[in-house]
């Protein structure tokens, strides 16, 4: 396939542009796109014209941990509960083990020359060796994994859970232990400075595969069994219902992506002309080797919708916005080229990719009901916010959609 793909970064990607570009280049290099890495470009507009970092912590209210959202009585669907439950596990990797520990200790009797269940379970963790290919696919280092294993191994929650179950070979207990280890890895990545957006953090499928690999290593079994877990079924709906409470309790942490967005948008409204000029020149200076496809992420999508719908736009054959707020800003009458009720129509063809788990993404077609050539497509990586805002570029469907609409 011939042509050029221009990745225009946005909120939260500025500092990690090189890493995101690597993911994009790897994604478009695979079939069916098969675009060579040298045809993928990433204009560093944020370094040239972007605003400085922002810390909103000093102006936030005191913790509102006592506030709880009222349950509405509805039963969330399986996908929603899975994402919400992992959100809770990342916040507290030992949560499921604590639930196991609520059961009364098992009556195991006296066994000669046998170790207690918790000792056997700790030994299994000590001996666990996750396959190198599984670590590489997850983007997890061996030291990173060993630290997570040690965290779970040395926890009182593990001891209490093993005593309650009474057997270190119990499949459900081993499953919970494996998920606790993966959740500890994810928590470490989320709290790193800057956060580490590895494949296992950005894809529900990669996360499930990594849990399988950890289970195999810990249990020394061939494959992780598939069964419906009562604890998971109970925890999932609970995770959805207390979501608002977790948002309130962790407002400072969760404000970061929203603060980045608000800061960037406010800056763009005041300095957007410089950003658009920079992007227009960058795209116009590209070598001529076929169609030009621009992929704008988050604020990058806003800038490209504004640029391509106005005067003096560079030549672009397809505009792709990913996790973008362009439709939202249009409704707020905050774009330069497009105004509600105006005569100017947005640039097309326009492929807009969004996710229901990404609170900074919006559909485009409903905002422009009279425009032809706007297509909204959903890509859900199965990960919670804020990772969901960056997960698109680790998902095969994103590249399949770009290939499908390639001019």
């Amino acid at each position: 396939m011939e042509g050029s793909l221009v990745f225009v970064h946005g909120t939260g990607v500025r500092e990690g542009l090189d890493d995101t570009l690597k993911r994009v280049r790897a994604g478009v290099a695979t079939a069916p796109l098969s675009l060579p890495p040298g045809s993928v470009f990433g204009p560093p507009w944020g370094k040239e014209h972007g605003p400085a970092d922002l810390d909103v912590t000093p102006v936030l209210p005191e913790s509102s941990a006592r506030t709880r959202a009222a349950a509405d009585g509805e039963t969330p669907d399986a996908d929603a509960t899975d994402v919400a439950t992992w959100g809770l596990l990342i916040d507290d990797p030992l949560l499921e083990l604590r639930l196991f520990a609520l059961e009364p200790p098992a009556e195991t009797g006296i066994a000669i020359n046998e170790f207690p269940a918790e000792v056997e379970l700790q030994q299994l963790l000590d001996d666990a060796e996750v396959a190198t290919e599984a670590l590489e696919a997850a983007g997890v280092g061996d030291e990173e994994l060993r630290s997570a294993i040690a965290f779970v191994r040395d926890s009182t929650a593990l001891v209490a859970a093993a005593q309650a179950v009474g057997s270190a070979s119990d499949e459900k207990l081993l499953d919970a232990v494996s998920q606790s280890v993966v959740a500890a890895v994810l928590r470490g990545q989320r709290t790193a400075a800057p956060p580490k957006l590895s494949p296992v953090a950005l894809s529900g499928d990669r996360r499930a595969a990594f849990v399988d690999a950890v289970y195999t290593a810990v249990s020394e079994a061939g494959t992780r069994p598939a069964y419906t877990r009562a604890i998971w079924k109970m925890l999932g709906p609970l995770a959805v219902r207390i979501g608002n409470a977790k948002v309130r309790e962790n407002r400072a942490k969760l404000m970061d992506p929203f603060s980045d967005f608000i800061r960037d948008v406010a800056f763009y409204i005041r300095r957007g002309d410089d950003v658009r000029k920079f992007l227009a020149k960058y795209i116009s200076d590209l070598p001529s080797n076929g169609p030009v496809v621009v992929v704008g992420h988050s604020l990058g999508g806003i800038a490209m919708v504004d640029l391509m719908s106005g005067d003096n736009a560079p030549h672009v054959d397809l505009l792709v916005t990913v996790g973008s707020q362009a439709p939202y800003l249009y409704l707020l009458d905050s774009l330069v080229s497009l105004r509600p009720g105006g005569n100017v129509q947005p640039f097309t063809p326009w492929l807009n990719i969004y996710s229901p788990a990404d609170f900074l993404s919006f559909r485009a077609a409903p905002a422009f009901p009279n425009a032809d050539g706007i297509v909204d497509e959903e890509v859900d990586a199965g990960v919670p916010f804020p990772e969901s805002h960056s997960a698109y570029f680790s998902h095969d469907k994103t590249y399949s959609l770009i290939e499908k609409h390639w001019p």
Side-chain angles (χ1 to χ4, degrees):
M1 182 173 290
E2 295 182 347
S4 299
L5 185 145
V6 182
F7 172 72
V8 181
H9 73 76
T11 303
V13 176
R14 182 185 301 102
E15 296 82 1
L17 177 57
D18 291 341
D19 290 340
T20 305
L21 267 177
K22 287 179 182 178
R23 286 199 294 271
V24 173
R25 285 172 175 151
V28 301
T30 59
L33 270 171
S34 300
L35 197 66
S39 298
V40 179
F41 304 90
W45 72 263
K47 293 180 180 179
E48 297 289 334
H49 299 286
D53 290 336
L54 174 67
D55 180 13
V56 300
T57 306
V59 299
L60 293 179
E62 295 182 359
S63 174
S64 55
R66 292 185 299 274
T67 305
R68 291 292 181 267
D72 56 14
E74 296 181 3
T75 302
D77 60 40
D79 291 339
T81 58
D82 186 65
V83 172
T85 304
W86 272 101
L88 286 185
L89 285 177
I90 295 172
D91 190 56
D92 179 7
L94 302 175
L95 178 59
E96 191 172 4
L97 292 178
R98 299 185 207 281
L99 293 177
F100 269 99
L102 294 177
E103 297 293 328
E107 296 182 5
T108 57
I110 299 176
I112 306 301
N113 297 327
E114 287 188 11
F115 292 106
E118 62 270 24
V119 175
E120 290 187 13
L121 187 54
Q122 289 172 333
Q123 187 62 52
L124 288 173
L125 284 168
D126 288 339
D127 296 340
E129 294 291 341
V130 175
T132 301
E133 56 270 24
L135 289 172
E136 292 176 350
V140 176
D142 184 68
E143 183 177 346
E144 193 176 4
L145 175 65
R146 297 316 308 180
S147 176
I149 288 177
F151 170 78
V152 176
R153 180 208 183 278
D154 297 334
S155 67
T156 56
L158 179 100
V159 173
Q163 290 174 345
V165 174
S167 171
S169 60
D170 183 88
E171 292 180 344
K172 294 182 179 180
L173 175 60
L174 290 171
D175 196 53
V177 169
S178 302
Q179 293 193 116
S180 292
V181 169
V182 174
V185 169
L186 292 171
R187 178 170 175 78
Q189 293 185 352
R190 176 180 284 185
T191 56
K196 180 180 178 180
L197 296 175
S198 67
V200 73
L202 297 174
S203 168
D205 291 339
R206 292 286 182 92
R207 184 186 62 218
F210 192 49
V211 173
D212 288 344
V214 173
Y215 180 93
T216 298
V218 173
S219 68
E220 301 177 344
T223 57
R224 178 182 171 212
Y227 51 81
T228 302
R229 298 155 57 226
I231 290 179
W232 197 258
K233 288 176 67 178
M234 177 271 290
L235 196 59
L238 176 63
V240 174
R241 286 181 168 84
I242 69 173
N244 286 342
K246 298 307 295 181
V247 169
R248 291 185 177 94
E249 292 174 27
N250 297 284
R251 183 176 174 186
K253 178 177 65 178
L254 294 175
M255 273 294 292
D256 286 344
F258 290 108
S259 296
D260 287 342
F261 162 61
I262 295 170
R263 171 203 58 192
D264 285 359
V265 168
F267 183 87
Y268 176 76
I269 290 174
R270 291 184 291 113
R271 303 283 191 268
D273 189 52
D274 292 337
V275 176
R276 291 189 296 274
K277 287 179 180 177
F278 178 89
L279 293 173
K281 184 179 187 306
Y282 187 98
I283 295 170
S284 297
D285 290 344
L286 288 175
S288 178
N289 65 341
V292 176
V293 174
V294 175
V295 178
H297 177 232
S298 194
L299 181 61
I302 295 174
M304 287 309 307
V305 169
D306 220 356
L307 171 62
M308 295 308 303
S309 301
D311 299 329
N312 303 316
H315 174 77
V316 169
D317 296 283
L318 172 66
L319 173 61
V320 182
T321 54
V322 182
S324 180
Q325 307 84 34
Y328 180 58
L329 262 69
Y330 167 74
L331 295 178
L332 293 177
D333 197 10
S334 297
L335 298 179
V336 173
S337 302
L338 297 167
R339 302 198 63 183
N343 296 322
V344 178
Q345 291 295 311
F347 171 87
T348 57
W350 175 7
L351 169 64
N352 178 63
I353 298 175
Y354 69 96
S355 169
D358 176 13
F359 304 146
L360 294 177
S361 70
F362 298 85
R363 293 187 299 155
F368 304 97
N370 297 323
D372 295 326
I374 302 177
V375 178
D376 289 315
E377 293 282 2
E378 178 182 313
V379 173
D380 189 355
V383 297
F385 187 80
E387 287 84 3
S388 57
H389 189 54
S390 300
Y392 302 97
F393 304 107
S394 297
H395 202 295
D396 292 341
K397 186 177 178 180
T398 298
Y399 303 103
S400 296
L401 288 170
I402 295 174
E403 187 274 336
K404 177 182 176 181
H405 293 269
W406 194 271

